[in-house]
């Protein structure tokens, strides 16, 4: 049998689908426990299941608050580290929020037609009891005590975390006594005759061998069946599984129903639930809802959960049952682009093209192929109703407009010498970064990535373009390459500013990327830094890119990066948020996080160490935190150049990195931080250390500022 099959524990096949199913199965076993059809259905736990599992069980309705309260609900697990905006801010106290309680019931609702006569409710759960080889069903120890460590034994059931104690010798042998909480699978079904039920009145029945577990069924006729597109006489059916057991004050687990599942089966097919959003008012319906209705017109929902999720195992068009699940999942199909003849997708090749005519010939086939696809979609509109036809025509009109923007982007690149040069530089930088960081010998754009870059070029090249008022949403499945798409656009933008200006006017913030911090992963920051590293290497061999280095800044809350430099002589507030304090903390204790939320060099991947960070010009009164790789063979080892990364607010306001990754909380602080105005170009003096504005009138040399504002916001 396949690895991940609930009836098998065979070795893995390393098939990607099997691997995903195995991960889901492992998560289910860890958080909820085994269901009755699993090979581990009779597991033996070393600790009370009430403590062992986090969810999936029903507590008695009359249980005291101490048993029903979910302590994990008070954990602030969703708050991102570093969400505070200023040095002296303190995390928000969320302890006053409402408490969450473990459920005592689960349920679901379905729709049935007039031919439905019988509903069968099937309840499955697990009860646990204390088991010992010496005294079967003896009293369990205090379930709140610490669990005994399980002992491995090859002869044991692979599913059992068995607790063992070695008994005295008998007949020259030592016997291992098994102790633990044994699971007993429970499975009971109850039939309900719909013709004998009174509409609107719930019918409850106690489950055989359930010790107080009850199922309830409620039948409600639909008054507007025909208006909803359903057969006349259709009904809504709601079913519930409720734990009415008597609470056990000493042993909580005895009164709980673990891995509780409720299944509903009907003697006729369940009806798909209609989408009631915008019903009777389609013309005023939100565009996203109209588009979703069009795109998912073949997808139907047959059940809705109450306090739990549901799934409906359908065979073809037949769907006559629904089942609750504590861990809902859905398989998202991989999106893979088909090959498009005549289009050049190689970043390296595009970066080496020597003429606009060559670029035009390499990219126009992409627009042509897209327009042909749009035309093919129009042939399938005849089978749609009027509302969906209107939505489809609007969507295809938007697609045609995108194709026109792509064509204008190609024309803009080919008709402007500096834009053409920026396009080549950007492709070379993207290729260099991908080759170095990911080991790809010939990196290539995916069709949607290249299309996204092209359709945004007119707005970046022409400051008077109406496209500058457009916010484009890059919507694609996780792992599909969204990051590379907007990083390619960012690389083009950074270079174009350098080619269009001279001297100090080449600097300043050009690309602003705004994140909520919980989405600011190390991978995202690392990839953006890798592109900036590649651009910096390009700058050193191309004088037209100027003398001001390409740098990337991280402008986030003080819990993630230091907001002030500090130093030995620093006597201000918020000392624990300074670069000096965090760096020395990191040097003294390897278990402490590094001063910046990066663990590895974004260029070569070598892990940062204690020598990767340095305060310059000295530790008494530093003005910058220098970051470098500890690998001497790395291009950014500090021997020739440092990593172009700024992570402290003070040098960010002075050096004005070309690329800035920021978070919402920092934007909220803009009105209260005068120095932040420099990021928007409000500076007019410059020297080798950076830029200065109204708050530093005695520093630098005037250059005729202000600087241009940000060119691109992501």
């Amino acid at each position: 049998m396949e690895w991940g099959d609930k009836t098998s524990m065979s070795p893995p096949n390393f098939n990607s689908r099997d691997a995903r199913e195995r991960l889901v199965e492992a998560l289910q076993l860890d958080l909820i426990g085994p269901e009755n059809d699993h090979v581990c259905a009779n597991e033996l736990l070393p600790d009370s299941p009430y403590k062992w599992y986090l969810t999936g069980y029903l507590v008695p309705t009359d249980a005291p608050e101490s048993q029903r309260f979910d302590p994990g609900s008070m954990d602030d697990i969703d708050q991102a580290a570093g969400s505070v905006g200023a040095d002296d801010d303190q995390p928000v106290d969320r302890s006053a929020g409402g408490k969450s309680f473990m459920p005592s019931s689960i349920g679901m609702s379905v729709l049935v037609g007039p031919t439905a006569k019988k509903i069968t409710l099937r309840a499955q759960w697990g009860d646990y009891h204390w088991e010992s080889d010496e005294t079967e069903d003896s009293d369990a120890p205090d379930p709140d005590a610490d669990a005994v460590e399980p002992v491995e034994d090859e002869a044991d059931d692979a599913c059992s975390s068995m607790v063992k104690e070695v008994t005295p010798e008998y007949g020259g042998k030592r016997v291992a006594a098994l102790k633990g909480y044994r699971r007993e699978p429970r499975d009971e079904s109850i039939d309900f005759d719909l013709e004998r039920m009174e509409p609107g009145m719930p019918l409850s029945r106690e489950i055989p061998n359930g010790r107080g577990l009850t199922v309830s069924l409620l039948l409600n006729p639909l008054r507007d069946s025909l208006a909803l597109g359903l057969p006349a006489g259709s009904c809504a059916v709601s079913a519930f599984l409720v734990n009415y057991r008597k609470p056990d004050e000493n042993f909580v687990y005895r009164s709980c129903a673990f891995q509780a599942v409720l299944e509903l089966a009907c003697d006729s097919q369940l009806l798909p639930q209609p989408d009631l959003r915008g019903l009777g008012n389609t013309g005023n319906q939100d565009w996203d809802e109209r588009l979703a209705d069009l795109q998912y017109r073949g997808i139907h929902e047959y059940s809705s959960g109450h306090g739990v999720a549901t799934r409906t195992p359908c065979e073809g068009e037949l769907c006559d049952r629904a089942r609750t699940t504590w861990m809902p999942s859905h398989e998202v199909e991989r999106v893979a682009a088909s090959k498009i003849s005549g289009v050049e997708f190689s970043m390296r090749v595009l970066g080496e093209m020597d003429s606009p005519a060559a670029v035009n010939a390499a990219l126009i086939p992409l627009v042509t192929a897209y327009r042909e696809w749009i035309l093919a979609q129009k042939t399938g509109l005849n089978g749609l109703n009027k509302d969906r036809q209107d939505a489809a025509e609007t969507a295809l009109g938007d697609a045609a407009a995108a194709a026109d923007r792509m064509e204008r982007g190609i024309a803009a690149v080919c008709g402007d010498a500096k834009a053409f040069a920026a396009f080549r530089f950007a492709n070379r930088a993207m290729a260099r970064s991908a080759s170095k960081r990911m080991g790809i010998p010939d990196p290539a754009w995916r069709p949607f990535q290249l299309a996204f870059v092209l359709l945004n070029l007119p707005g970046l090249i022409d400051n008077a373009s109406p496209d500058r008022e457009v916010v484009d949403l890059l919507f694609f499945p996780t792992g599909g390459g969204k990051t590379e798409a907007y990083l390619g656009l960012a690389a083009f933008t950074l270079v174009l500013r350098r080619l269009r200006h001279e001297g100090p006017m080449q600097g300043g913030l050009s690309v602003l990327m705004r994140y909520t911090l919980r989405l600011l992963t190390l991978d995202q920051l690392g990839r953006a830094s890798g592109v900036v590293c590649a651009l910096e290497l390009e700058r050193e061999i191309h004088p037209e890119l100027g003398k001001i280095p390409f740098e990337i800044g991280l402008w986030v809350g003080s819990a993630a990066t230091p907001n002030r430099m500090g130093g030995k002589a620093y006597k201000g507030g918020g000392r624990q948020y300074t670069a000096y304090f965090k760096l020395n903390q990191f040097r003294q204790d390897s278990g402490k996080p590094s001063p910046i939320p990066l663990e590895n060099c974004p260029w070569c991947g070598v892990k940062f160490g204690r020598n990767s960070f340095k305060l310059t010009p000295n530790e008494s009164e530093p003005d910058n935190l220098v970051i470098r790789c500890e690998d001497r063979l790395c291009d950014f080892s500090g021997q020739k150049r440092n990593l172009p990364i700024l992570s402290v607010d003070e040098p960010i306001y002075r050096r004005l990195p070309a690329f800035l990754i920021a978070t919402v909380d920092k934007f909220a602080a803009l009105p209260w931080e005068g120095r932040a105005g420099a990021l928007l170009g409000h500076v007019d003096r410059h020297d080798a250390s950076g830029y200065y504005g109204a708050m530093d009138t005695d520093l630098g040399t005037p250059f005729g500022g202000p600087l241009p504002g940000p060119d691109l916001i992501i």
Side-chain angles (χ1 to χ4, degrees), residues 408-652:
R408 291 198 300 271
I410 297 173
V413 165
C414 296
D416 185 310
K418 292 181 178 178
F420 174 69
F423 185 76
R424 295 177 62 205
F425 273 121
N427 274 279
R428 290 203 298 269
M430 291 296 296
R432 193 169 190 173
S433 175
S435 297
K436 181 68 176 181
R437 298 186 72 252
M438 303 167 61
I440 303 175
D442 187 16
W445 296 106
R446 297 176 185 178
F448 89 91
Q449 295 172 332
L450 187 56
F452 179 77
V453 171
L454 293 176
L455 68 85
N456 277 286
L457 290 182
L460 290 171
I461 295 172
D462 181 8
N463 289 337
S465 171
D467 285 355
R468 293 187 67 84
E469 301 299 323
V470 176
V471 177
D472 284 297
L473 173 64
L474 186 56
F475 187 86
F476 212 76
T478 299
K482 294 184 295 295
T483 301
E484 285 73 18
Y486 59 68
L487 286 182
L489 200 62
F492 174 87
T493 305
L494 296 176
V495 174
L496 186 61
R497 174 180 285 213
R498 297 299 178 97
L499 297 177
R500 285 185 167 177
H501 299 280
E502 295 181 354
M505 295 295 289
Q506 289 182 315
L509 174 59
S510 178
V511 177
L512 177 59
M513 183 185 295
R514 194 192 74 177
Y515 270 108
T516 51
L517 193 59
R518 62 178 59 92
L519 297 179
L520 182 59
T521 63
L522 300 183
D523 179 64
Q524 291 278 315
L525 175 60
R527 283 191 278 181
S529 300
V531 173
V532 174
C533 287
L535 287 173
E536 179 61 9
L537 294 177
E538 288 282 338
R539 184 192 66 83
E540 292 184 356
I541 58 177
H542 293 281
E544 62 268 35
L545 295 181
K547 297 181 179 180
I548 299 174
F550 285 104
E551 292 178 316
I552 184 170
L554 188 59
W555 195 46
V556 299
S558 57
T561 61
N563 288 166
R564 300 174 184 172
M565 291 304 307
K568 291 181 179 179
Y570 180 74
K571 297 181 180 180
R575 181 178 177 82
Q576 69 272 27
Y577 295 114
T578 64
Y580 175 82
F581 181 88
K582 290 193 173 187
L583 177 56
N584 281 279
Q585 189 181 51
F586 174 67
R587 287 172 173 171
Q588 295 169 10
D589 184 356
S590 59
K592 295 291 184 180
S594 69
I596 66 171
L598 268 182
E599 298 177 354
N600 304 84
C601 172
W603 188 244
C604 70
V606 171
K607 188 175 180 61
F608 285 144
R610 296 179 179 178
N611 297 321
S612 297
F613 306 95
K614 182 181 179 181
L615 297 173
T616 60
N618 56 68
E619 295 201 354
S620 294
E621 296 181 349
D623 62 13
N624 196 18
L625 175 65
V626 171
I627 306 168
R628 56 197 178 191
C629 182
E630 290 196 347
D631 184 355
R632 294 184 177 181
L633 299 179
C634 179
D635 293 319
F636 298 91
S637 64
Q639 296 178 339
K640 293 183 178 180
R641 63 188 72 83
N642 299 313
L643 282 163
I645 301 174
L646 302 176
S647 61
V648 186
D649 284 12
E650 290 178 344
I652 285 177

Side-chain angles (χ1 to χ4, degrees), residues 56 81 101-102 113 205 207 225-226 286 328 345 406 423 511 633 668:
F101 295 92
M102 302 302 296
R205 292 182 181 175
I207 299 175
S225 298
L226 296 178
D286 181 79
F345 291 107
M406 290 163 55
F423 185 76
V511 177
L633 299 179

Side-chain angles (χ1 to χ4, degrees), residues 118-448:
K118 186 179 75 171
I119 291 286
T120 299
L121 296 184
R122 181 184 181 188
Q124 295 177 299
W125 73 97
D127 285 330
Y128 288 80
H129 68 272
W130 175 255
E131 178 181 291
S132 170
D133 277 0
E134 293 178 315
T135 54
E136 182 72 18
D137 293 331
S138 62
D139 289 337
D142 181 358
D144 294 325
D146 293 334
V148 181
E149 289 294 329
V151 179
E152 298 293 337
D153 190 326
E154 294 181 357
D156 292 340
D157 182 346
C159 297
S160 298
S161 301
M162 296 187 177
V163 183
K164 302 186 178 184
E165 293 180 356
V166 179
T167 63
E169 294 187 6
Y170 292 96
K173 297 181 180 179
R174 297 181 66 82
V175 181
L178 305 183
K179 295 183 178 181
Y181 297 82
R182 175 70 69 181
R183 184 181 190 273
E184 297 180 23
R186 303 294 189 186
D187 191 334
E188 301 290 347
S189 298
I190 297 179
D191 294 333
F192 289 83
D193 188 344
L194 298 183
E195 293 181 315
R196 296 186 177 183
M197 289 190 61
E198 183 176 350
M201 296 296 294
L203 178 60
S204 300
R205 292 182 181 175
E206 188 169 336
I207 299 175
N209 304 310
R211 297 188 297 109
L213 296 183
T214 300
V215 290
S216 298
L217 197 71
L218 177 64
L219 181 69
N220 281 310
L222 298 177
R223 283 181 266 177
D224 300 320
S225 298
L226 296 178
L228 297 173
L230 301 174
S234 298
C235 296
V237 176
S238 298
F240 294 90
L241 170 63
V242 189
N243 184 354
Y244 285 117
R245 289 175 172 177
K246 183 179 179 180
D248 192 313
E249 296 182 0
N250 298 319
F251 301 97
V252 182
Y253 74 94
R254 291 179 176 176
S255 58
C256 296
F258 294 90
Q259 299 92 35
V261 174
L262 178 63
E263 183 177 283
L264 180 151
C266 185
D267 61 351
S268 67
Q269 186 173 353
L270 301 180
L271 301 178
Q273 299 182 359
D275 185 358
L276 302 181
R277 292 173 295 181
L279 184 66
N281 194 24
T282 308
N284 296 327
Q285 192 175 4
D286 181 79
W287 165 246
D288 288 338
E289 293 181 358
R290 293 178 60 200
L291 186 61
D293 174 70
L294 170 68
Q295 294 179 326
Y296 298 99
R297 60 190 181 276
I299 306 299
H300 302 293
E301 184 180 77
Y302 291 92
S303 61
S304 301
H306 305 298
V308 71
T310 61
R311 55 188 177 93
T312 48
C314 300
E315 297 181 3
E317 295 296 325
L318 179 62
C319 184
D320 60 358
R321 64 189 61 239
R323 181 182 178 90
T324 63
T325 176
W326 293 93
M327 197 173 72
S329 63
H330 180 74
E331 182 174 317
V332 179
E333 295 183 355
R334 181 173 178 266
V335 178
S338 57
K339 294 184 178 180
I340 302 176
S341 177
V343 182
E344 180 58 70
F345 291 107
S346 170
M347 298 175 182
R348 177 186 56 79
V349 173
L350 290 172
E352 294 175 355
M353 288 187 172
D354 55 3
S355 70
V359 170
N360 184 79
L363 299 181
I364 280 295
L366 178 62
V367 181
T368 302
Y370 188 34
R371 285 176 172 155
E372 291 174 351
W373 178 86
I374 295 172
L375 185 62
Q377 302 306 303
K378 293 183 178 181
T379 61
L381 301 185
N382 294 333
L384 302 177
N385 61 38
K386 185 181 184 305
D387 292 334
R388 287 175 177 170
Q389 278 191 0
D390 291 344
E393 289 173 357
T394 301
L396 291 175
D398 291 342
D404 293 341
R405 290 177 62 192
M406 290 163 55
E407 187 173 27
R408 291 198 300 271
I410 297 173
V413 165
C414 296
D416 185 310
K418 292 181 178 178
F420 174 69
F423 185 76
R424 295 177 62 205
F425 273 121
N427 274 279
R428 290 203 298 269
M430 291 296 296
R432 193 169 190 173
S433 175
S435 297
K436 181 68 176 181
R437 298 186 72 252
M438 303 167 61
I440 303 175
D442 187 16
W445 296 106
R446 297 176 185 178
F448 89 91

Side-chain angles (χ1 to χ4, degrees), residues 1-13 18 21-23 25-27 29-30 34-35 37-43 156-161:
M1 294 184 178
E2 296 286 318
W3 176 255
D5 191 321
K6 291 187 176 182
T7 60
S8 172
M9 293 294 285
S10 57
N13 192 22
D18 294 337
E21 291 178 352
R22 181 57 179 153
L23 286 173
E25 178 189 1
L27 190 61
L29 293 175
D30 183 50
E35 293 186 358
D37 58 348
H38 197 276
V39 67
C40 299
N42 297 95
E43 68 178 354
D156 292 340
D157 182 346
C159 297
S160 298
S161 301

